Amino acid sequence: MGKRLAALDDFRLLAAALVVAIHTSPLESYTAAGDFWLTRVLARVAVPFFFMVSGHFLAERDWKGVPRLLKKLALLYAVSTVLYLPLTIYSGGVGRWTTWARRIFIEGTFYHLWYFPAAMLGVVIARMLTRLGKPAALSAAALLYLIGLGGDSWFGLAERVPALEALYGQIFNVCQYTRNGLFYAPLFLLLGAEARRMGKRKAAAGAAFALAAMSAEAFGLRGIGAQRHDSMYLFLPLLMAFLFALLLETNAGERRSARRVSMTVYLIHPWTIVLVRGAAKALGWQALLVENSLNHYLLVLAGSFGCAWLLCGWRKPGPRADARAWREVDLGALAHNVKTLRAALPEGCALMGVVKADAYGHGAAQSARAMQRAGVRAFAVACLSEGIALRRAGIWGEILILGYTGAEEVPLLRRWRLTQTVADAEHGRALAAAGKPVRIHLGIDTGMHRLGIPAGDFAAIRALYQCRNLKIRGVFSHLCVVDSLAPADVDYTAGQLARFYETVGWLRAHGYPTGKVHIQASYGVLNLPEQQCDYARVGIALYGVRSTDSPVRYPLELRPVLSLRARVTSVRTIEAGECAGYDRAFRAERPTRVAAVSIGYADGLPRDLSKKGGQVLVRGVRCRLIGRLCMDQALIDVTDLPEARAGDVATLIGCDGGEALRAEEIAEQCGTITNELLSRLGGRLPCRIVAKPV
Ligand SMILES: *Cc1c(COP(=O)(O)O)cnc(C)c1O
């Protein structure tokens, strides 16, 4: 299990270290040219990189996150402004109110804080530009960048042209630098939004070339004294495009801690500089700690990262995820299943990821995020609280609540932009009577008789369409025997389909917009020919298992996502005739090595598993469960596995060595379906995320 590479998030740490370098000039004591290259050339990738990741993630979510990002930036900016107020006042006060206003809105309230106004304005401008279409947006942003470039490191050349000199005169009347939200940020935000993988070699070669070209450009401009400032170069956007593509090649996950730590380092490092200098002065160690530029840099870097670590609680002490019993969730397999299922759906039919019951025991937030990264834009949950949890986890597409939500919760449905299923006519009326518009999908009962308006009850359906507060965005039904290929069941399903499409046809004929039409769940995909619907609501198949091993008509190559593992905690030998476990349920017929494993029925394992011949893999060998399953522990027979010892990993579901214990096999033994088995694997089991290559 390799550690996940979260290249985009990890690079933020390096970028933060580069920003600290810009403000401390690490090589100054040794080589002026070297320091120029490090801090005025190489380190100039840092801020554009931050803009590019923002653009990348915003575009991934169709720019829906703009208000949220603006709010977050504004908040951080406000807090930082207060944090640096003492230094601002100490270094000359706040000046006239016009200066102060300019600093707040353009230049930043302290020297490194220009980033916030630039990011906020840049995001707004980039978003507006995207409405022009990609080529026009990029061209416009590139033009703005070129104007900025002429006021930055190319200024000495630009000012020789009288018209340009006049232009920059005007610009510098308003702001001190062109490195801001108008000229500088939009291009990088859009480059991030458009970034694509291009292959490792091409990206690396391109980045190397662009860095060499930018270095030559920088030294050339410095040589002729053209630089008014040194943030912008002609080759910088090219370098950033290749560098970002290179990072995308190795990006296989996210590391939120790196985001928090890098932002914190960015925010606090000027304070660290002040404190390091103060301490050095107090100790009389200025020559060593301040005048030596490299020591100074390393000290500021260590101080900033150390504080950030503490502030972000990076090392919250807690038990290791694999200490006792744990779920292992393979997000690579999940992405593979998303791809396979989408390929099986007809053109125009999207995958709705069903993540109810904590994504069938797989962890709803992480599973939904992985699906979202794989392109899934619609999700289904069982209830309101599950929907809210998904929104909090950063899921932004459609979220449909499949179960009942009382009309008193309409404000929460609206606040979290959730779509509610209408369970029956009365429920629909109650939702409408709550007095505010609410997004709904009409459930149609075609024969399951659980939820929905009875198919063919056109009067009830028409009445719901006449409720102004019901924003009907979809119509769906659920099949109850589509997992069976028995002729009578196949007939029943055909009847359900016919009733559903008849209702949909009636709606269309009467000019009622249906919104999204959907009827298939996992077995609807595995057993039915293509359905011309807008969604397939897939649950169990996404997790790479079927409910049972019974045959299906259109099998797909799906990979199990979840493994269940625990530790062997103790091994002992008992004599023939001795018993083990509660009720003395196991009686040894020979001298038997008994191992205890740290997992039990309170973790969601069926208590019957040991009675029904359940097995566990240790060192790739199947071992029998014996005695009664306890609440938190299980006993296994390792007589034939003399190497077994405490600390070994025991696999209850999943692969170990060449052997596999499949969820279908265990569900069958216990007389249930995998859906129940997996969804019961409960909250006490921590999740270890792995992302084996897709
Ligand atoms: C649970 C559920 C699904 C998903 O079912 P799977 O068989 O797991 O794919 C789809 N639709 C509804 C209404 C459900 O309740």
Side-chain angles (χ1 to χ4, degrees):
M1 263 163 277
K3 233 181 148 192
R4 278 182 312 144
L5 272 174
L8 284 185
D9 284 339
D10 290 345
F11 193 81
R12 292 171 196 254
L13 299 174
L14 187 61
L18 288 173
V19 171
V20 178
I22 294 175
H23 296 141
T24 49
S25 293
L27 301 181
E28 206 177 26
S29 306
Y30 303 95
T31 144
D35 192 70
F36 174 76
W37 185 78
L38 174 66
T39 63
R40 312 292 126 169
V41 184
L42 185 66
R44 289 311 186 188
V45 303
V47 174
F49 169 77
F50 285 120
F51 286 138
M52 284 183 80
V53 270
S54 296
H56 186 70
F57 288 125
L58 283 172
E60 241 183 14
R61 304 171 173 207
D62 291 340
W63 297 86
K64 292 217 169 69
V66 168
R68 199 170 140 172
L69 179 64
L70 290 179
K71 229 193 270 174
K72 190 173 127 189
L73 288 168
L75 186 71
L76 278 171
Y77 188 33
V79 171
S80 317
T81 299
V82 173
L83 190 66
Y84 283 94
L85 209 54
L87 294 185
T88 311
I89 292 167
Y90 178 77
S91 65
V94 292
R96 282 149 39 99
W97 73 268
T98 43
T99 325
W100 189 228
R102 206 179 65 191
R103 285 175 66 172
I104 288 180
F105 291 110
I106 304 174
E107 274 143 28
T109 48
F110 199 66
Y111 64 79
H112 65 310
L113 297 181
W114 67 272
Y115 174 82
F116 290 104
M120 286 187 275
L121 180 61
V123 164
V124 171
I125 291 178
R127 175 64 185 129
M128 287 186 334
L129 290 179
T130 56
R131 300 189 194 275
L132 305 173
K134 278 176 205 171
L138 274 172
S139 312
L143 184 67
L144 287 170
Y145 184 83
L146 284 178
I147 298 173
L149 183 67
D152 195 273
S153 65
W154 282 67
F155 182 67
L157 299 174
E159 72 174 343
R160 292 191 195 165
V161 181
L164 289 181
E165 195 195 357
L167 170 72
Y168 289 112
Q170 296 290 329
I171 291 176
F172 293 132
N173 264 339
V174 182
C175 51
Q176 254 181 316
Y177 299 111
T178 50
R179 177 206 59 179
N180 56 30
L182 176 61
F183 299 117
Y184 176 80
L187 180 61
F188 295 114
L189 285 159
L190 291 175
L191 283 176
E194 294 303 320
R196 298 283 178 275
R197 304 169 69 139
M198 55 171 74
K200 224 176 232 173
R201 283 172 150 222
K202 200 168 152 192
F209 164 78
L211 180 59
M214 188 169 114
S215 306
E217 178 190 355
F219 278 99
L221 293 166
R222 178 176 178 246
I224 59 172
Q227 290 183 293
R228 183 174 182 277
H229 192 64
D230 44 36
S231 280
M232 301 170 77
Y233 296 100
L234 194 56
F235 283 100
L236 181 59
L238 192 69
L239 171 59
M240 293 314 300
F242 283 119
L243 178 65
F244 204 82
L246 189 60
L247 292 171
L248 281 181
E249 289 299 328
T250 42
N251 194 49
E254 43 187 59
R255 198 178 330 274
R256 288 169 175 251
S257 53
R259 298 182 192 177
R260 290 194 295 270
V261 168
S262 59
M263 180 48 89
T264 310
V265 167
Y266 192 97
L267 289 180
I268 65 174
H269 74 275
W271 258 121
T272 319
I273 294 175
V274 171
L275 296 179
V276 163
R277 286 171 176 254
K281 192 167 173 186
L283 295 169
W285 291 354
Q286 277 135 310
L288 182 69
L289 300 185
V290 176
E291 282 153 34
N292 180 299
S293 61
L294 191 59
N295 288 349
H296 180 230
Y297 170 65
L298 292 176
L299 206 58
V300 170
L301 194 66
S304 302
F305 270 91
C307 291
W309 239 302
L310 290 178
L311 286 171
C312 298
W314 190 316
R315 296 164 197 257
K316 271 194 203 112
R320 296 166 50 119
D322 58 359
R324 185 188 69 89
W326 66 98
R327 298 171 276 180
E328 196 175 280
V329 175
D330 180 354
L331 296 181
L334 185 58
H336 165 87
N337 297 339
V338 167
K339 215 165 117 188
T340 307
L341 281 158
R342 285 167 121 191
L345 298 176
E347 185 76 24
C349 181
L351 188 63
M352 175 181 264
V354 179
V355 292
K356 58 190 180 187
D358 204 22
Y360 297 46
H362 292 66
Q366 67 206 18
S367 302
R369 280 205 292 256
M371 291 179 208
Q372 186 164 272
R373 280 197 297 277
V376 176
R377 294 292 177 263
F379 296 87
V381 294
C383 57
L384 178 62
S385 59
E386 289 185 346
I388 295 173
L390 277 200
R391 284 279 183 251
R392 286 191 195 277
I395 298 300
W396 54 269
E398 164 140 57
I399 298 178
L400 173 64
I401 298 176
L402 297 169
Y404 173 89
T405 306
E408 68 281 6
E409 305 287 20
V410 162
L412 284 180
L413 289 171
R414 288 166 50 77
R415 161 141 187 246
W416 296 99
R417 279 191 304 112
L418 302 170
T419 307
Q420 175 58 43
T421 295
V422 171
D424 55 29
E426 192 186 328
H427 184 216
R429 281 194 298 274
L431 288 172
K436 285 275 166 84
V438 57
R439 295 167 59 100
I440 60 154
H441 282 203
L442 280 186
I444 305 292
D445 179 8
T446 53
M448 181 159 183
H449 304 325
R450 183 174 69 177
L451 293 184
I453 319 285
D457 187 350
F458 299 130
I461 293 173
R462 177 176 307 177
L464 291 178
Y465 268 92
Q466 275 151 7
C467 294
R468 266 201 305 127
N469 284 335
L470 297 185
K471 303 288 168 204
I472 302 179
R473 297 288 189 260
V475 175
F476 77 99
S477 187
H478 196 40
L479 303 170
C480 52
V481 278
V482 68
D483 54 332
S484 163
L485 295 180
D489 292 333
V490 171
D491 281 353
Y492 195 84
T493 299
Q496 283 196 282
L497 287 168
R499 284 188 284 280
F500 180 63
Y501 290 128
E502 187 203 350
T503 306
V504 171
W506 180 89
L507 287 171
R508 290 191 174 133
H510 289 77
Y512 292 121
T514 56
K516 308 282 189 186
V517 170
H518 45 112
I519 187 159
Q520 293 159 288
S522 295
Y523 276 85
V525 177
L526 296 171
N527 275 339
L528 295 177
E530 289 188 346
Q531 303 289 309
Q532 285 308 322
C533 287
D534 299 297
Y535 286 142
R537 303 181 306 271
V538 179
I540 194 72
L542 266 172
Y543 307 106
V545 295
R546 297 202 212 138
S547 298
T548 65
D549 266 332
S550 60
V552 294
R553 203 156 268 158
Y554 306 100
L556 295 173
E557 196 269 299
L558 300 168
R559 298 185 194 159
V561 174
L562 182 133
S563 306
L564 180 62
R565 306 194 200 272
R567 292 278 170 193
V568 172
T569 50
S570 175
V571 183
R572 67 199 63 218
T573 303
I574 61 172
E575 300 302 328
E578 281 196 284
C579 298
Y582 285 122
D583 305 340
R584 300 198 293 156
F586 172 75
R587 178 179 292 271
E589 279 161 14
R590 53 171 182 172
T592 301
R593 280 183 17 107
V594 174
V597 176
S598 52
I599 189 167
Y601 61 77
D603 296 299
L605 278 182
R607 184 160 177 269
D608 266 4
L609 187 59
S610 54
K611 270 193 225 164
K612 302 275 177 72
Q615 295 177 322
V616 169
L617 298 177
V618 179
R619 297 179 182 242
V621 173
R622 284 179 179 245
C623 305
R624 203 161 49 101
L625 280 162
I626 56 177
R628 294 266 184 279
L629 193 68
C630 309
M631 186 182 269
D632 320 298
Q633 306 188 51
L635 295 177
I636 58 175
D637 179 348
V638 291
T639 312
D640 299 327
L641 186 64
E643 315 90 283
R645 49 183 81 323
D648 281 357
V649 172
T651 299
L652 293 105
I653 301 175
C655 298
D656 181 16
E659 271 288 352
L661 286 173
R662 297 164 46 252
E664 289 91 340
E665 185 185 333
I666 298 161
E668 159 93 49
Q669 278 173 330
C670 298
T672 181
I673 55 175
T674 56
N675 309 46
E676 181 186 356
L677 176 72
L678 296 175
S679 64
R680 281 178 186 267
L681 297 178
R684 195 169 77 179
L685 293 170
C687 269
R688 282 194 65 183
I689 297 177
V690 296
K692 296 183 192 133
V694 183

